[in-house]
Amino acid sequence: MIVLLGAWLASLGLTAAVTVRVVRTRRTPAAPPVPPPVFPPVPQVLSPPPDVRDEVPAPVPPELRLHRDLQVRLGQSIVGQLRSTTDPLSANLLEIRSDLVDLAQKVRTHDQISAGQEDRDWLQGDAAAVKTDMAEAARLTRETTQSMATHIHALKKTLRTILEVNGEVADLSDRINVLSINASIEAARAGTSGRGFKVIASQVKSLALETSAFLAQVRTLLQGAQDLFDRVDRDLEGKGTAVETLLLKQDASFISLQDNYREQGVRFSQLCRTIEGFVGRLDLQVNRLSPLVQLHEVTVQELENLNQVFVHVLDQVLAPGDGSPPGEAQVHAWGTLVREHLTTAGELAVLDAVLAAWGCPPADEAPPRVGSLELF
Amino acid sequence: MKTILLVDDSTSIRNIVKGSLVREYLVLEADNGQAALDLVAKGTAVDLFLLDVNMPVMDGLTLLKHIKANPLFAKTPVLMLTTETKQERRQEAKTLGATGWILKPCDPETLLAALKNLL
């Protein structure tokens, strides 16, 4: 259609010159010369059909030529302006939808990674192994502590036994000492004959005293050892309890960590679903604009078509005739010509109504519903 | 992801239709029949054609004829997406082997449902 318009406009340039000459002859010689109309060049894409070009008459009434030219150029201007809004709008909508698809994909991917098998494996695998090792360490610590406590108790019992024996030996030493004193007294009573016995009694006494001193020293050492064992025993019990408490605390921390991790995962997943829902709703809203933008574009195309129709009609009017109203055949021929430029059901319905008003029967076919889908 | 070749001389229509399909399909574009033929001649795989009827250089019905003559695409579904309402054009498309005829402006969900049905 644009091709035809371009060609006709080219022919208009010649016709306009002819028109100017006609105008000049009608004016008085004193009147200033009327400048020829200047129109911006319109690119010609292809040659028009010869029959149409040949039908354009010359000379013709200048106001109709002007009307035709204005129709062509204003129509093109309006269509151009409308299209300059539709194209960026549709490009923006495409960009928004592409971004939404991209965003939804990224959110879905992150959600899948967050709740992925690897993480669950980590929780159930490595982390669970750490937990098991900690429990094993706690058990071993407990057993070791108990074993050491048992040994220490046994040592303390042995110490007590040794102390008892030490006490008995000390008692025995005391009795020997008493016996040596008695022996010394009896030796003195015996006089000269008991002198040798007195020496022995003295030595026995000395031995008994040394034994008592030695036993007292051993007792002191044993009591020191007993105190040391008591402290070790208390320390061991305290440390064992501390280690166990620590391990239990770590176990609780691990469980808390696991729970926290799971909770964070659930929250992240909820967030992802919220974002996905939002993106989906936004996508739906943007999708609802699609038919509107299509309608806008179709309307622009309709305007373009209508513009061409008007030009065709004007060309028909400009064609030479005998001044009588067009007959049914002529109207039908015009209608056929105009129909070639129309596509939408709305345009065709209007054409049929106009043709019917001029006495031509409408087309048989019922126009299909806009947006309908027919699968063959 | 299935590939759809969308052929329409209107940039706006291509943008809008592509926007509706981009979530589920890979959409290639051409602005006339000849450009579409050049694209498939390079070996581009296409699972479905979506063609406008009235286009410059080569119209949709001529393109349909070429597509159906190509053994590689003889069985590939072809949907005509157009404002054209004339019965004879629709009949011609049917005769040439088009799979369906959708009138613009169309609801994206209708289009998606048709594509899911065909692919």
Side-chain angles (χ1 to χ4, degrees), chain A residues 24 84 107 246 335 364:
Chain A
R24 279 178 183 168
S84 71
V107 169
L246 187 65
D364 292 334

Side-chain angles (χ1 to χ4, degrees), chain A residues 81-236:
Chain A
Q81 285 184 45
L82 286 172
R83 200 153 269 153
S84 71
T85 62
T86 314
D87 286 354
L89 176 63
S90 66
N92 285 340
L93 285 176
L94 174 61
E95 197 174 339
I96 289 170
R97 296 213 67 187
S98 300
D99 286 348
L100 287 176
V101 169
D102 195 35
L103 177 63
Q105 182 61 44
K106 279 179 182 166
V107 169
R108 207 173 299 122
T109 304
H110 284 299
D111 192 17
Q112 284 168 354
I113 290 171
S114 167
Q117 189 63 34
E118 297 83 1
D119 287 354
R120 283 201 296 274
D121 285 350
W122 181 81
L123 271 176
Q124 291 168 0
D126 292 353
V130 170
K131 190 184 170 191
T132 306
D133 288 349
M134 284 163 61
E136 179 66 9
R139 189 185 64 77
L140 287 172
T141 305
R142 199 179 301 117
E143 280 182 9
T144 306
T145 309
Q146 285 171 353
S147 172
M148 286 173 73
T150 305
H151 288 307
I152 286 169
H153 286 152
L155 283 170
K156 282 165 72 176
K157 193 177 176 183
T158 306
L159 274 176
R160 273 197 300 276
T161 307
I162 293 171
L163 278 169
E164 284 169 11
V165 171
N166 180 282
E168 286 172 7
V169 173
D171 186 48
L172 191 63
S173 176
D174 287 346
R175 282 161 61 191
I176 290 170
N177 188 31
V178 171
L179 188 63
S180 70
I181 291 168
N182 290 337
S184 295
I185 292 167
E186 289 302 323
R189 199 178 287 169
T192 309
S193 57
R195 195 176 298 160
F197 187 68
K198 186 181 179 183
V199 172
I200 292 170
S202 172
Q203 286 180 346
V204 168
K205 185 181 180 182
S206 174
L207 186 63
L209 289 173
E210 283 178 20
T211 301
S212 289
F214 175 71
L215 286 172
Q217 205 173 1
V218 168
R219 184 179 182 82
T220 304
L221 287 172
L222 285 173
Q223 282 175 338
Q226 196 176 26
D227 291 344
L228 191 63
F229 276 128
D230 283 342
R231 282 206 301 276
V232 170
D233 192 21
R234 282 196 301 276
D235 272 7
L236 198 59

Side-chain angles (χ1 to χ4, degrees), chain A residues 219-293:
Chain A
R219 184 179 182 82
T220 304
L221 287 172
L222 285 173
Q223 282 175 338
Q226 196 176 26
D227 291 344
L228 191 63
F229 276 128
D230 283 342
R231 282 206 301 276
V232 170
D233 192 21
R234 282 196 301 276
D235 272 7
L236 198 59
E237 193 177 344
K239 293 283 192 280
T241 306
V243 168
E244 204 163 336
T245 305
L246 187 65
L247 288 172
L248 284 172
K249 192 178 169 187
Q250 285 190 347
D251 192 46
S253 298
F254 178 78
I255 290 167
S256 171
L257 182 69
Q258 268 188 322
D259 290 346
N260 192 267
Y261 182 84
R262 285 199 190 94
E263 194 179 330
Q264 291 299 326
V266 169
R267 282 183 187 171
F268 184 75
S269 189
Q270 283 172 345
L271 178 66
C272 287
R273 274 193 289 277
T274 304
I275 294 172
E276 276 186 285
F278 170 74
V279 168
R281 284 193 298 278
L282 195 58
D283 191 51
L284 195 65
Q285 296 295 329
V286 173
N287 214 19
R288 282 179 185 160
L289 292 175
S290 171
L292 291 178
V293 180

Side-chain angles (χ1 to χ4, degrees), chain A residues 86-87 90-91 94 97 283 287 290 293-294 297-298 339 342-345 348 365 368-374 376, chain B residues 10 12-13 15-16 19-20 23 54 83-87 90 94 98-103 105-106 108-109 114:
Chain A
T86 314
D87 286 354
S90 66
L94 174 61
R97 296 213 67 187
D283 191 51
N287 214 19
S290 171
V293 180
Q294 282 185 63
E297 174 64 16
V298 169
R339 190 182 295 277
L342 304 180
T343 58
T344 68
L348 290 168
E365 60 182 282
R369 189 170 53 84
V370 167
S372 64
L373 163 68
E374 181 190 351
F376 300 138
Chain B
S10 163
S12 297
I13 295 291
N15 285 341
I16 285 298
S20 300
R23 182 185 281 269
N54 300 306
T83 55
E84 183 62 71
T85 54
K86 296 190 194 79
Q87 181 62 38
R90 195 159 57 232
K94 188 177 177 180
T99 314
W101 187 277
I102 305 173
L103 275 181
C106 73
E109 286 173 13

